[in-house]
Amino acid sequence: MKLLLTVFLCFLVTLTSIPTIANGCFEVERDALLTFKAGLHDPGNLLSSWHGPECCNWTGVICHNLHQHVVKLNLRNPLYWGDNYFDWESHVLTGKLNLHPLNPVLLSLKYLTHLDIGGHDFSNINFPKVACSFEYLVYLNLSGSQFQGVIPHEIGNLSRLQSLDLSGSN
Ligand SMILES: *[C@@H]1O[C@H](CO)[C@@H](O)[C@H](O)[C@H]1NC(C)=O
Ligand SMILES: *[C@@H]1O[C@H](CO)[C@@H](O)[C@H](O)[C@H]1NC(C)=O
Ligand SMILES: *[C@@H]1O[C@H](CO)[C@@H](O)[C@H](O)[C@H]1NC(C)=O
C-alpha cells in the first residue's frame, strides 16, 4: 500500500512538473509573447493575430514541429522606409517608453533560434541585452531598427550565432 502511494505521488509530481501546453502552444511562451506585444505600438496591426491560445498560429511565430516550442520570431517589417515612407510609417512597430519590448520575460522562449525584428523603429530604445541570452540563437537581425546605445559585450555569449545583422542602428 505504502509503495503504491509512493508510486502514485511520484506520478503526480511528474505530471505537475511538465509545462502546460494547450492547443500547440506552451502557456509560458504565449505569456512571454503577449508581454512583448504589450510593449509595442502596432499601428499597422502586424500582430493582430496575436490573441487566443494557439500562439504557434500567430503571425511571425514559428514553433518546432515536434516539440512545439517557439523557435523563430520573424517579425521583419515587410515594407522598407526608403520605398514609401508614409506606408512604412503606418506599418512600423515602435516601442512604448519605459517598457522595453524585449523584456527579460522573452527568455521564456528558451529554444529560439531565429529572431528578426528588422525594419521597425526602436530609436528611443536601448540595444536589447536580452537578445544576448538566447542559448540556441543562430540568426539575429535587428537591421534598420535603430536601437541606440552600446552593443553589450555579452553578445559574445551567443556561441551558436551564424548570422548577425545590426546595420542601421544608432
Ligand atoms: C492553427 O493551426 C493548425 C495547424 O495548422 C490548424 O489546424 C488550426 O485550425 C489553426 N487554428 C486557428 C485558430 O487558426
Ligand atoms: C536583415 O533584414 C534586412 C531587412 O530588414 C534584410 O535586408 C537583410 O538582408 C537581413 N540580413 C540578413 C543577414 O539576413
Ligand atoms: C554570459 O555568459 C556568462 C558566462 O557563462 C554568464 O555569467 C552571463 O550571465 C551571460 N550573460 C548574458 C547576458 O547572458
Side-chain angles (χ1 to χ4, degrees), residues 27-101:
E27 245 171 75
V28 63
E29 298 190 351
R30 189 188 56 201
D31 289 349
L33 292 169
L34 288 175
T35 305
F36 170 68
K37 182 185 179 189
L40 297 166
H41 289 293
D42 179 17
N45 292 318
L46 178 66
L47 307 181
S48 61
S49 65
W50 284 37
H51 58 83
E54 298 183 50
C55 73
C56 295
N57 284 24
W58 297 355
T59 304
V61 178
I62 294 159
C63 297
H64 193 274
N65 54 7
L66 295 178
H67 59 59
Q68 293 189 325
H69 286 282
V70 174
V71 286
K72 297 186 184 183
L73 270 185
N74 287 340
L75 295 172
R76 185 187 292 184
N77 191 341
L79 303 176
Y80 175 59
W81 66 269
D83 290 338
N84 184 332
Y85 183 80
F86 296 103
D87 262 6
W88 171 80
E89 198 184 25
S90 60
H91 283 83
V92 82
L93 295 173
T94 55
K96 292 181 182 164
L97 283 179
N98 306 324
L99 189 57
H100 202 302

Side-chain angles (χ1 to χ4, degrees), residues 131-147:
C132 304
S133 302
F134 293 110
E135 191 183 342
Y136 296 106
L137 210 62
V138 295
Y139 180 90
L140 177 60
N141 195 337
L142 305 177
S143 149
S145 282
Q146 308 167 65
F147 283 108

